[in-house]
Amino acid sequence: MKKVLAVSVLVAMTISATAKANPVWDYVGAGYTDAAGDGPYIEGSFRLNRNWIADASYARLSNGPFDANQLKAGLNYILGTSLGFSADTQTYLLGGVENWSGDADETGAYAGVGIRHPLTPQVELYSEATYHTVFDEHGSLAGGITYFLTPAWAVRGNLALNSGDTKNEFRFGVSYQF
C-alpha cells in the first residue's frame, strides 16, 4: 500500500511539473462551501471575447433547520491594466446578480474589482473586493489559490472575509479547464 501511495505521489508531481498556470477563465468546477450554512456548490466561467467573461455559481446550503439556495450570475471585464511586477497579471471589474431562495428569499446585486496573478506555472492567485446589496448590504474581501494538477484539472480554494454580520465563506473544490 505504501508503494502504491509513493508511486501515485511521484506521478502526480511529474504531471503537475508539466502543467501551465495562466489566468484561465474557461472552466467548470464543483466542491464544498461553508458560508451561511454548508453544502455543495457548482460554478463555471466562460470567456465571451478578449475582455468579457460570464460566470455563475450555485450552492445548496444547510444549517440545522435552515436551507437555502444561492445563485450568482455575473460578468467580469478585464481592464488590460498591467501591473509593474508581472505582465501576466490581470485586473478586472466584476458585477452581477445574487439570489437567495429557500427559508430566506432575497435578490440583490454585487460589484467590485479583482486581480488574477499566475505565481508559478502551476499556481494562480486571485483577490477580489466586492460590495453586495443582499442581506443587510456588506463588503467582502476574498482571496484564493488554484493549483493546476494538469493543464485541464485543478484544485481550488478560497476564503471571503465579509463585513458586518455576514458570515465569512470558505470554498474548496476541483475544476476542469477547457
Side-chain angles (χ1 to χ4, degrees), residues 29-173:
Y32 168 81
T33 186
D34 183 4
D38 62 340
Y41 76 87
I42 57 172
E43 65 182 358
S45 176
F46 180 73
R47 184 183 288 264
L48 301 171
N49 64 28
R50 183 174 172 264
N51 292 90
W52 290 98
I53 292 93
D55 64 12
S57 70
Y58 169 79
R60 175 71 176 153
L61 305 171
S62 295
N63 186 4
F66 172 78
D67 290 318
N69 300 304
Q70 179 195 30
L71 178 63
K72 289 173 68 174
L75 291 171
N76 299 332
Y77 180 77
I78 299 175
L79 295 172
T81 306
S82 178
L83 301 179
F85 59 87
S86 173
D88 295 329
T89 299
Q90 294 181 346
T91 56
Y92 57 97
L93 300 174
L94 61 126
V97 177
E98 183 174 359
N99 175 266
W100 288 78
S101 63
D103 291 343
D105 295 320
E106 189 162 336
T107 299
Y110 65 91
V113 296
I115 183 171
R116 291 180 74 166
H117 174 68
L119 186 63
T120 71
Q122 290 80 32
V123 178
E124 179 181 308
L125 303 175
Y126 91 92
S127 182
E128 292 178 349
T130 54
Y131 178 76
H132 303 258
T133 63
V134 71
F135 292 122
D136 297 330
E137 302 182 5
H138 66 280
S140 178
L141 181 59
I145 186 168
T146 302
Y147 182 80
F148 292 88
L149 302 169
T150 70
W153 290 97
V155 177
R156 296 174 179 266
N158 77 328
L159 177 65
L161 303 175
N162 298 315
S163 66
D165 294 333
T166 304
K167 187 175 181 225
N168 296 333
E169 180 181 3
F170 169 76
R171 282 188 173 202
F172 183 78

